[in-house]
Structures are given as structure tokens and as C-alpha cells.
């Protein structure tokens, strides 16, 4: 009996040790080493958004495209070099992903007061949250302590990031592969309440799909010519037709009215498993905001590098 007790105590101590050495992200991570990091990020993001309202959306997407490719490790920020192939030119990112200059500005502002302390991965997580708040969305406390990758994977970017042609089951599968459930997926898709998409990503939907409001399709066709014209690929349209620069639940109201811009958007409200949730979000901003914030924390927890893994990059575009 006594030896069983002893075994139990040793087991308990070992589990405790395992928990403390297997570092977790923490909202207090920089409270002693860079207590004003969030303020610095907020001020720089505010400037960037006042210069160009779309930038908030671009930064939010940057975080998503970072986290889905081998975790939230700032791998997306690495530039291609002659000896290094990064993620920037992967199919879902090429001619599309943007906001790198803003991240560079934040990084240099942070470095000026907290040299060599804050990772680019954490800057991206904080910047995404500040962008959402500044555009009217929910706030949440951002767990921190991520470190930066020394590698990137163009192949993983091509495989893991969802294409606009995806159907509902593919979307659910791609998010499940990252530990996110269907509800997380639908809530996170609400990010499309801000930002823009290029004609090339929604042409098939407005010309060929039938689950679309015909008036909306006609409006979009006016600036997104059909394939025969061979032009207009990069023409932009707002992902949320109601309020493209406002982080509200307009996106879900669009879906219910069959005014989703992307094929993948409308898949969330097309007679399938997410219809009920889409309807609920379309009538309750609070329900959406709450689920979105929780899902953002969950997405931000995808395979972070912690402890002595990875590095704190000096320049977000280059490994040290
Ligand atoms: C559910 C699967 C998703 C698909 C298929 C998808 C696909 C796309 C596509 C095709 C675009 C337009 C890109 C372009 O034309 O250059 C886009 C834009 C955008 N995506 Fe997604 N996305 C998805 C989920 C998400 C998630 C989870 C987030 C963030 C949490 C997000 C945030 C954004 C934002 C904010 C934009 C606008 C960016 C800008 O204006 O610069 N998306 N997405
Ligand atoms: C969804 O798309 C995948 C991949 O393109 C395909 O294999 C699958 O059959 C589709 N599922 C449905 C329900 O249409
Ligand atoms: C629509 O479908 C037709 C017939 O399958 C195809 O030729 C065309 O490329 C598709 N896309 C658009 C934008 O029309």
C-alpha cells in the first residue's frame, strides 16, 4: 500500500514536470520582457488600416495562411531566395497574399524597444487580433510564446490551404486535419466579412453555379468577365457585399441570401450540415463573435514552436 502511494506521488510529480517543460502559450508571456508589445502592434495596425481599410483583412488572412502550414510559426513571412523556396509563391498565396510590409513595420517598431524578444509568429497573432478589433469585431486575449520557424514548405501550403473550389466535405476535412471542427471552420470563414477576392477565384461560381442570387451574379459579372474574354482575372470584389470593411455578421446574411462570393462560401449554406449555424450567425452577431474569438485562439494554437525550438527572427523575412 505504502509503495503504491509512493508510486502515485512520483507519477504525480513527473506529470507536473512534464506539464511545465512542455511549454504552453501564455497571455502573460511578454509581461516582463516586453509589456507594451500589444500597444506597439495596435498603433502600427491602426495606421496601416487608416491608410488602407483592406489591410486589416489582409493581415488576418496572413495569420490563417501561416497557421495552416506546419503551425503558427511565421513560415509564410520567409522570402524566396535562390537556395530557399518559401510559401509566398504557393498557389493559394501567389499574387494574392499581402501585408508583409506592415508586419515588417511592426517588427522594427517592436525591435526598437524590445530587441530580440518578440517572435514574428507572435506579432502575426497579435496583429490579426488588433485588426479584427479595429474593424468592429470581437476582442480576445492572445496566447503568446511562439517562436519562428527556420524552414517553410511550399508543398504543405499547396496541400493544406483550402481552394475556393472546395465543397463542404473538403472544407471540413482540411480544417479537421488542423484539429478544427466544422463549427470552428464555419465561424472562422466569417473572416470573409472583410476583404476582397480576385475574379479568378469566383468566376466559376458566378457563371456556372446555380445556388446564387441571379441579381447578385449579374452585378458581379459586370466587373468579372467570363472566360472567353481572357481578361479581368485580378479584378476585385468584396467578399461581403453588405459591409466589406466592417467586421460584422454581414457575411452570414449574404450566405442566407445566396450572395456568397466564392463557391466555398456558399457551400456553408447549401442544404448541408452548416445551414443551421449559418442562419444562427446571420441573426446573432454575438454568437458569431464569441465562436470566432474562440476559434481564433484554437487556430493560433496549431503546432507552435516553443521553448528552445525555432528562433526569434531579427528580420521576419529571413532566418537568422
Ligand atoms: C474556409 C475555407 C477558406 C477558403 C476556401 C478561402 C479562400 C479565400 C480566397 C480564394 C480569397 C481571395 C484571395 C484572392 O483572390 O486573392 C480569400 C480571401 C480572404 N480570406 Fe479566406 N478562405 C477560407 C478561410 C479563411 C479563414 C479561416 C480566414 C481567416 C480566419 C480567411 C480570411 C480571409 C480574408 C480576410 C480574405 C481577404 C484578404 C484581403 O482582402 O487581402 N479565410 N479567402
Ligand atoms: C467534394 O470534393 C471532393 C474533391 O474534389 C470529391 O472527391 C468529393 O466527392 C466531393 N464531395 C461531394 C459530397 O460532392
Ligand atoms: C463553366 O462550365 C463550362 C462547361 O463545363 C466550362 O467550359 C467553363 O470553363 C466553366 N467556367 C466558366 C467561368 O464559365
Amino acid at each position: 500500500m505504502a509503495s503504491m502511494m509512493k508510486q502515485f506521488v512520483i507519477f504525480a510529480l513527473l506529470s507536473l514536470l512534464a506539464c511545465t517543460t512542455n511549454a504552453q502559450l501564455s497571455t502573460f508571456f511578454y509581461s516582463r520582457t516586453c509589456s507594451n508589445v500589444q500597444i506597439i502592434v495596435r498603433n502600427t495596425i491602426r495606421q496601416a488600416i487608416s491608410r488602407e481599410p483592406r489591410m486589416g483583412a489582409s493581415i488576418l488572412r496572413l495569420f490563417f495562411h501561416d497557421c495552416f502550414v506546419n503551425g503558427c510559426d511565421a513560415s509564410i513571412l520567409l522570402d524566396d531566395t535562390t537556395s530557399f523556396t518559401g510559401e509566398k509563391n504557393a498557389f493559394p498565396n501567389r499574387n494574392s497574399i499581402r501585408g508583409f510590409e506592415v508586419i515588417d513595420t511592426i517588427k522594427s517598431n517592436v525591435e526598437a524597444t524590445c530587441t530580440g524578444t518578440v517572435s514574428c509568429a507572435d506579432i502575426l497573432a497579435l496583429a490579426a487580433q488588433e485588426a479584427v478589433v479595429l474593424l468592429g469585431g470581437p476582442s480576445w486575449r492572445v496566447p503568446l510564446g511562439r517562436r519562428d520557424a527556420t524552414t517553410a514548405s511550399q508543398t504543405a501550403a499547396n496541400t493544406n490551404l483550402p481552394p475556393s473550389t472546395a465543397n463542404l466535405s473538403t472544407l471540413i476535412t482540411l480544417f479537421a486535419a488542423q484539429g478544427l471542427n466544422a463549427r470552428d471552420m464555419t465561424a472562422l470563414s466569417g473572416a470573409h466579412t472583410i476583404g476582397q477576392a480576385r475574379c479568378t477565384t469566383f468566376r466559376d461560381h458566378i457563371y456556372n453555379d446555380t445556388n446564387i442570387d441571379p441579381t447578385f451574379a449579374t452585378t458581379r459579372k459586370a466587373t468579372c468577365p467570363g472566360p472567353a474574354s481572357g481578361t479581368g482575372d485580378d479584378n476585385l470584389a468584396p467578399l461581403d457585399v453588405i459591409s466589406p470593411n466592417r467586421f460584422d455578421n454581414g457575411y452570414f446574411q449574404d450566405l442566407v441570401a445566396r450572395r456568397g462570393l466564392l463557391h466555398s462560401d456558399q457551400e456553408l449554406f447549401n442544404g448541408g450540415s452548416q445551414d443551421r449555424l449559418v442562419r444562427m450567425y446571420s441573426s446573432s452577431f454575438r454568437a458569431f463573435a464569441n465562436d470566432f474569438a474562440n476559434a481564433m485562439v484554437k487556430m493560433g494554437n496549431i503546432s507552435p514552436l516553443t521553448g528552445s525550438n525555432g528562433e526569434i527572427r531579427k528580420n521576419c523575412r529571413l532566418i537568422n
Side-chain angles (χ1 to χ4, degrees):
M1 205 52 198
S3 91
M4 242 176 86
M5 193 62 192
K6 205 156 113 191
Q7 263 180 27
F8 174 77
V9 170
I10 291 172
F11 173 76
L13 284 174
L14 282 177
S15 332
L16 200 74
L17 199 70
C19 278
T20 47
T21 49
N22 176 13
Q24 297 268 306
L25 302 182
S26 155
T27 55
F28 300 111
F29 193 79
Y30 298 110
S31 58
R32 272 189 281 174
T33 52
C34 191
S35 59
N36 56 349
V37 61
Q38 185 160 6
I39 307 289
I40 301 173
V41 173
R42 181 177 307 156
N43 290 339
T44 319
I45 287 284
R46 184 183 286 126
Q47 275 173 19
I49 290 178
S50 71
R51 211 171 295 136
E52 189 205 8
R54 183 187 175 194
M55 193 49 79
S58 303
I59 298 291
L60 176 56
R61 184 170 187 237
L62 208 42
F63 182 56
F64 163 50
H65 282 207
D66 181 32
C67 291
F68 265 52
V69 184
N70 300 329
C72 312
D73 60 359
S75 55
I76 194 169
L77 303 179
L78 293 170
D79 280 342
D80 286 353
T81 67
T82 46
S83 58
F84 185 88
T85 305
E87 294 164 16
K88 291 183 177 179
N89 285 307
F91 180 72
N93 292 334
R94 181 190 282 265
N95 297 328
S96 169
I97 198 90
R98 59 202 293 281
F100 298 106
E101 297 77 10
V102 174
I103 299 300
D104 290 340
T105 306
I106 298 173
K107 176 67 171 173
S108 57
N109 291 346
V110 170
E111 286 294 303
T113 34
C114 314
T115 313
T117 307
V118 181
S119 66
C120 298
D122 279 345
I123 285 176
L124 211 42
L126 285 167
Q129 187 265 355
E130 292 298 338
V132 168
V133 173
L134 285 166
L135 295 171
S139 186
W140 63 93
R141 287 156 59 75
V142 182
L144 299 165
R146 300 169 189 81
R147 291 166 63 85
D148 299 324
T150 50
T151 56
S153 174
Q154 193 168 96
T155 312
N158 282 323
T159 314
N160 300 359
L161 292 168
S164 60
T165 51
N167 60 31
L168 182 58
S169 62
T170 300
L171 293 174
I172 291 174
T173 305
L174 286 171
F175 278 68
Q178 306 287 344
L180 299 168
N181 62 33
R183 190 184 181 102
D184 298 327
M185 187 277 290
T186 297
L188 288 169
S189 297
H192 289 180
T193 190
I194 52 175
Q196 310 272 323
R198 292 163 305 144
C199 167
T200 182
T201 67
F202 60 83
R203 185 181 275 127
D204 280 346
H205 179 53
I206 62 173
Y207 285 91
N208 278 356
D209 285 348
T210 51
N211 58 345
I212 185 168
D213 167 29
T215 313
F216 174 70
T218 304
T219 307
R220 285 291 161 263
K221 286 175 189 172
T223 54
C224 180
S229 84
T231 62
D233 277 7
D234 293 333
N235 295 356
L236 295 174
L239 283 155
D240 168 19
V241 60
I242 300 171
S243 51
N245 293 321
R246 183 100 202 128
F247 198 101
D248 54 14
N249 60 342
Y251 169 78
F252 296 103
Q253 294 168 4
D254 296 335
L255 297 187
V256 170
R258 296 191 307 160
R259 292 180 194 142
L261 185 62
L262 307 178
H263 174 82
S264 53
D265 290 327
Q266 201 57 58
E267 279 289 301
L268 303 182
F269 188 84
N270 193 33
S273 65
Q274 301 305 294
D275 280 20
R276 250 173 60 93
L277 189 57
V278 168
R279 234 183 243 291
M280 204 256 276
Y281 290 158
S282 77
S283 63
S284 170
F285 173 67
R286 280 175 69 92
F288 161 53
N290 189 57
D291 283 2
F292 182 81
N294 287 328
M296 283 294 286
V297 171
K298 225 169 140 180
M299 185 170 83
N301 275 326
I302 301 174
S303 325
L305 295 167
T306 55
S308 56
N309 295 318
E311 62 182 23
I312 305 295
R313 259 179 238 153
K314 294 189 172 77
N315 175 338
C316 291
R317 293 171 182 268
L318 307 167
I319 52 186
N320 290 343

